[in-house]
Amino acid sequence: MTIPATGRWRAWLCALLLCTLSSTLAACGGPRVEADPALWRIEDEAGRTAGWLFGTVHALPSGVDWRREGLNRVIADAGMLVVEVRALDDTAAIAGAMAALGRTEGLPPLSRRIPAQDRPALAALYDRADIEPGAFRDVETWAAALSVSSALSREAGNDSGAGTDRALLEAFDGRPVAGLETAGEQLAIFDRLDEDAQLALLRSMWEAPEDDGAMLDAWMRGDAAMLTRILEQGLAANPDLRAALLVNRNRRWIAQIEPLLSDGRRPLIAVGAGHMGGADGLIAMLRARGWRVVRAD
């Protein structure tokens, strides 16, 4: 998901690969590191190019160079850009949505309301992120999880300003841009999760896949199959979280994307890399509707 920083809040798709992947990328540091993330071409029944799919990472350190020649050609040729959230800099709207959805008066601090077996792991996260032990009084579990993720991301040196989403928005400045969701709609997805799913989101802070290096390598090489395997492993334990954060959103997005492909708009559809592969991914959904989706050079 793409919700930018606003004060202490920044939402990450914590249960998917992007939270861990972005934290790993921060370790690159030093000289610029070249990446070649996956790019797909969408063709109609006659073989004409109708658009493109690109899997994004929402926050990166500045040293990762991911703008390859093929992607630059697509940026030049595309008729419009489609992203998850268009208004990344509307911090007032995001803060207002968070204040309206993320607080419930009377809630005790997060460390006092989660199961006892989770408290040592939470305490360790607090220590890493320099968060007070009694934090998140009156803050719902999902909102606390996003805040912890934001703090960990800052601690790791990530910058949403260096993410692929913002760079693409800048590249399409003056051309048509569409957003599939608003920031408020994204936050509402989390707010509708039951408490078990919210706890699963929080636990994803310390139950991320161990082989972060493999995720980094897969994204930088454009290894979509590896990213899909990591995603499915991360979401397999909680079907409700998987449905809310991945499957249902992909279905809503397809309903918006298909008309743009059909009417000749030739969009570059740039959304989180975790939404691309798998049986419920955008690629499979497009193919099921008769579109041909192939890897682009």
Side-chain angles (χ1 to χ4, degrees), residues 1-12 14 90-105 107 113 136-151 154 182-191 198 201:
M1 304 178 74
T2 311
I3 301 178
T6 172
R8 57 190 288 195
W9 302 101
R10 180 172 63 194
W12 291 74
C14 302
D90 191 354
T91 56
I94 298 168
M98 181 63 76
L101 296 172
R103 298 187 65 85
T104 297
E105 294 297 323
L107 288 175
R113 66 177 187 263
F136 306 118
R137 184 185 298 274
D138 298 329
V139 177
E140 296 180 19
T141 303
W142 66 267
L146 299 186
S147 186
V148 171
S149 177
S150 176
R154 290 194 299 270
T182 67
E185 288 169 342
Q186 288 193 341
L187 291 175
I189 293 170
F190 289 102
D191 191 51
Q198 293 185 43
L201 188 68

Side-chain angles (χ1 to χ4, degrees), residues 35 41 49-50 67 136 224:
R41 184 173 61 256
T49 298
R67 289 277 295 269
F136 306 118

Side-chain angles (χ1 to χ4, degrees), residues 33-62:
V33 178
E34 291 191 357
D36 190 15
L39 176 68
W40 291 266
R41 184 173 61 256
I42 306 168
E43 299 176 350
D44 63 17
E45 292 181 349
R48 295 181 294 258
T49 298
W52 297 266
L53 280 174
F54 178 67
T56 63
V57 174
H58 303 319
L60 284 172
S62 58

Side-chain angles (χ1 to χ4, degrees), residues 208-234:
E210 293 182 2
D211 196 355
D212 293 349
M215 287 193 295
L216 170 59
D217 182 65
W219 182 79
M220 294 184 70
R221 290 187 294 104
D223 189 341
M226 175 63 75
L227 293 180
T228 297
R229 286 195 294 271
I230 295 170
L231 171 64
E232 293 297 335
Q233 290 169 4

Side-chain angles (χ1 to χ4, degrees), residues 247-293:
V247 180
N248 294 343
R249 295 173 70 222
N250 285 353
R251 289 172 178 165
R252 290 194 296 270
W253 292 356
I254 285 291
Q256 299 175 67
I257 289 168
E258 270 210 284
L260 300 176
L261 298 172
S262 298
D263 70 7
R265 301 291 297 276
R266 288 168 56 88
L268 170 57
I269 302 150
V271 297
H275 292 275
M276 297 296 166
D280 298 307
L282 293 178
I283 293 172
M285 289 185 179
L286 285 169
R287 287 172 174 166
R289 288 160 174 77
W291 300 95
R292 184 169 181 258
V293 184

Side-chain angles (χ1 to χ4, degrees), residues 108-243:
L110 182 64
S111 58
R112 285 174 43 197
R113 66 177 187 263
I114 65 173
Q117 66 267 25
D118 291 327
R119 293 173 187 172
L122 180 64
L125 287 184
Y126 279 3
D127 186 60
R128 281 177 52 198
D130 195 25
I131 296 174
E132 293 296 323
F136 306 118
R137 184 185 298 274
D138 298 329
V139 177
E140 296 180 19
T141 303
W142 66 267
L146 299 186
S147 186
V148 171
S149 177
S150 176
L152 290 172
S153 179
R154 290 194 299 270
E155 186 269 340
N158 290 309
D159 178 11
S160 63
T164 53
D165 311 77
R166 290 180 184 274
L168 290 171
L169 286 167
E170 291 176 4
F172 276 79
D173 186 31
R175 288 190 283 165
V177 176
L180 296 169
E181 298 170 336
T182 67
E185 288 169 342
Q186 288 193 341
L187 291 175
I189 293 170
F190 289 102
D191 191 51
R192 289 192 293 268
L193 296 172
D194 63 28
E195 188 62 22
D196 286 343
Q198 293 185 43
L199 281 170
L201 188 68
L202 178 65
R203 291 184 182 116
S204 73
M205 301 296 101
W206 59 79
E207 294 179 352
E210 293 182 2
D211 196 355
D212 293 349
M215 287 193 295
L216 170 59
D217 182 65
W219 182 79
M220 294 184 70
R221 290 187 294 104
D223 189 341
M226 175 63 75
L227 293 180
T228 297
R229 286 195 294 271
I230 295 170
L231 171 64
E232 293 297 335
Q233 290 169 4
L235 290 180
N238 196 296
D240 291 339
L241 202 57
R242 184 180 188 277

